[in-house]
Amino acid sequence: MFKNYLITAYKVLLRRKFFSFVNLFGIALTLAVLTVVVALLDSYLFPSSAEKNSGRFLEVSRLMLESEDRDSSWSSSPGYRFMQDYVRPMQTPTLISVYNEGSSANSFVDGQKYELTMKRTDGNYWKILQFDFIEGNALTDEDDELGPYVAVINQSTRRKLFNDQSALGKDLTVNGQTFEVVGVVRDESEISRHAFADVWVPVSTNPSTSYQQQMMDGFIALLMAESSDQLDAIRAEYRERIDDFEYDDPEQFAYAIGGADSKLDALAREVTNNWKHYDSGAGTFVTIVLVGMFLFMLLPTINMVNLNTSRILERASEIGVRKAFGASSATLVWQFIVENLVLTLVGGLLGFVLAYLLLDLVVASDLIKYADLHMNGRVFLASLLLIGFFGVLSGAYPAWRMSRMQPVAALKGA
């Protein structure tokens, strides 16, 4: 029976080629765009490179200070002093790293200017993030404490500045400071916001020590847990500490609000601009994404419903004959849904090919620096679910309408 449904679906697909082309094009384009979105989210939320342990660490990347009357506020990344006073003393995390946000830096080689992204880190940064070293070693706590001018660079920087030759022991001048290269790592995608950079140097090499007194601006902390089960305890301890926050001028700011966030929490805060609550609004963000994907699928779904309804009316006589010979409404509905799923599956396969090309285009365009976007099991499964949902959604109403046709009316073509 199912084999007959597939044969019928194939013949229906070829019956009106233009309508089939319109259907396939709409399905392929819609699913290709959604697959690219899913691949981007997957790359951020489930990284496979340096941030592959992201399920075991939280980040402190945003803080809001408010006055006693809640009339004035200041929102930014925390400062080094805040990290030293309120984050580093935490007991629950296994490891705590405090690093400087990436900043633009310039290097000149043979008169040519190279624009780089530089981060200043401590030793724990290299223990929490699992970089793939091509040569040399990571920065250490001793490097941060003693302040030697040493640096780790990525593979692309080695290629640009050192002709892809060994860079170990060579000098690198960035923003007027000269560092000895002690390590080279593979490129990390810009999507991996913690790991992404071109050059890493110790925090203590900052040209000025004024950063040590800043309560706000410039730093991010990573809080590593022994296991994911400890993350809630880390969140609770962090909140307890900032509940006791004291600003230099209590009349200016009296409260500190923020969270120790997972990657999903941090993304939700960025997208929804939710800085005034301890709760990140991740549930709201996920709802927005799902509703957005549904609305994006809605227009091509409506087009498919209209086209499918037209196809049903053209097959009214066939439906009437089958009903007259005892075919139940459920059998006819199942047949039509299978036909529509076959059509959607064909469009989905074309969508996979188009999505693959789009991902390659994004990587080649350098729109996202060092992007490493590709299909994997999670993306493939999510795309299959989208195909199934799309097929059922666009076939449900026409199938229901077909099932209500009376045999006599169907045989008359009504």
Side-chain angles (χ1 to χ4, degrees), residues 58-323:
L58 301 173
E59 64 180 83
V60 175
S61 57
R62 200 76 178 186
L63 186 68
M64 173 170 279
L65 304 184
E66 284 193 327
S67 60
E68 182 74 37
D69 56 12
R70 307 285 185 176
D71 284 342
S72 61
S73 63
W74 181 10
S75 177
S76 80
S77 54
Y80 189 81
R81 182 180 163 195
F82 174 84
M83 296 298 191
Q84 293 294 94
D85 292 349
Y86 295 94
V87 178
R88 282 202 188 276
M90 293 179 64
Q91 300 297 312
T92 312
T94 303
L95 289 173
I96 297 175
S97 169
V98 174
Y99 74 90
N100 183 246
E101 289 183 292
S103 60
S104 179
N106 296 318
S107 181
F108 292 86
V109 176
D110 297 330
Q112 184 174 353
K113 177 182 176 181
Y114 294 93
E115 295 184 356
L116 307 171
T117 299
M118 184 169 69
K119 284 181 177 174
R120 300 182 187 272
T121 76
D122 59 8
N124 281 344
Y125 175 88
W126 301 92
K127 298 174 184 176
I128 294 175
L129 301 180
Q130 303 297 303
F131 285 90
D132 185 3
F133 275 82
I134 298 174
E135 57 179 346
N137 301 295
L139 303 180
T140 65
D141 288 326
E142 289 74 18
D143 293 331
D144 188 35
E145 292 169 3
L146 302 177
Y149 280 65
V150 292
V152 172
I153 63 175
N154 67 358
Q155 189 174 12
S156 289
T157 301
R158 185 182 72 168
R159 182 172 58 252
K160 289 186 290 187
L161 304 186
F162 301 102
N163 296 318
D164 215 15
Q165 301 298 312
S166 176
L168 295 184
K170 295 182 179 179
D171 289 341
L172 169 68
T173 301
V174 183
N175 285 355
Q177 293 180 298
T178 300
F179 300 88
E180 178 189 349
V181 178
V182 296
V184 179
V185 297
R186 296 196 184 279
D187 296 337
E188 286 292 332
S189 169
E190 196 170 7
I191 296 175
S192 301
R193 59 191 297 261
H194 300 300
F196 167 74
D198 297 302
V199 181
W200 297 261
V201 299
V203 173
S204 56
T205 61
N206 197 304
S208 171
T209 59
S210 61
Y211 72 92
Q212 297 176 359
Q213 304 305 317
Q214 292 176 350
M215 191 64 75
M216 295 287 280
D217 196 31
F219 283 83
I220 293 175
L222 300 180
L223 313 177
M224 186 75 170
E226 188 68 34
S227 69
S228 58
D229 295 336
Q230 295 179 323
L231 295 180
D232 285 340
I234 293 176
R235 290 188 181 97
E237 183 185 357
Y238 176 72
R239 178 164 179 176
E240 288 177 5
R241 288 187 177 275
I242 65 172
D243 281 345
D244 295 330
F245 175 79
E246 294 182 1
Y247 193 64
D248 293 339
D249 182 1
E251 293 185 3
Q252 184 178 8
F253 296 112
Y255 305 104
I257 302 172
D261 295 329
S262 66
K263 290 177 72 71
L264 176 60
D265 291 327
L267 180 61
R269 289 190 192 277
E270 287 285 348
V271 173
T272 62
N273 198 30
N274 178 27
W275 309 114
K276 292 189 174 183
H277 304 90
Y278 290 108
D279 178 35
S280 67
T284 301
F285 170 71
V286 171
T287 301
I288 291 173
V289 171
L290 293 177
V291 171
M293 294 175 73
F294 174 78
L295 292 177
F296 186 76
M297 287 193 297
L298 191 59
L299 180 59
T301 298
I302 292 174
N303 289 334
M304 281 195 66
V305 167
N306 291 331
L307 291 171
N308 288 337
T309 301
S310 297
R311 277 196 339 215
I312 283 179
L313 295 178
E314 292 175 354
R315 298 169 63 187
S317 298
E318 171 195 337
I319 295 169
V321 170
R322 293 200 60 193
K323 280 207 163 191

Side-chain angles (χ1 to χ4, degrees), residues 1-9 322 326-328 330-332 334-336 338-339:
M1 182 67 71
F2 186 72
K3 180 180 178 181
N4 293 334
Y5 289 168
L6 294 179
I7 294 173
T8 303
R322 293 200 60 193
S328 66
T331 299
L332 293 172
W334 173 240
Q335 175 188 338
F336 188 78
V338 169
E339 291 177 8

